Amino acid sequence: MRNAALTLGLIGGVLAMIVGFFGYGYTEFVSRNGAIGDFGTQVDHPMVIKVASFLAPILAIAGAAMARSQNIPAGVLMLASALGIYVAFGFGVFTMFPIAMCGLGGILALAARQPDSH
């Protein structure tokens, strides 16, 4: 289960990084260039988007890296990453897989009681 948590956390973290690049870039673009009609309006809380864009992928990848040796902190980090993505971006077509993979990786890491057999 720890290997599955590691894999899911890495994939979820990379997907969260892609979502984060676009989220951060969008808020920066609108703040520098202003609103573009109805298409490019600023989000309600741009700093939440920016912080989650930075922290969520780091938490997921760090949790994945720790999944084999320290499963409890790893699970907490991956679940925090999934929660951060959900709070900042909501649940949609581009966030459902990072949320699901980070969340499932966190649950698997927390559920792992002993090291995986080799």
Side-chain angles (χ1 to χ4, degrees), residues 4 39 46 48 52 57 62-63 82 95 114:
F39 172 71
V48 172
T95 60
Q114 53 190 341

Side-chain angles (χ1 to χ4, degrees), residues 12-13 16 55-61 76-86 98-99 102:
L55 284 181
I58 292 172
L59 292 175
I61 293 170
V76 170
L77 289 177
M78 285 188 269
L79 289 174
S81 173
L83 182 65
I85 297 166
Y86 179 74
I99 291 170
C102 292

Side-chain angles (χ1 to χ4, degrees), residues 2 7 13 15 24 28 35 46-47 61 71 83 99 108 112 115-116:
R2 292 178 189 222
T7 304
L15 292 175
Y24 195 99
E28 276 297 307
M47 190 54 69
I61 293 170
N71 65 315
L83 182 65
I99 291 170
L108 288 176
D116 291 338

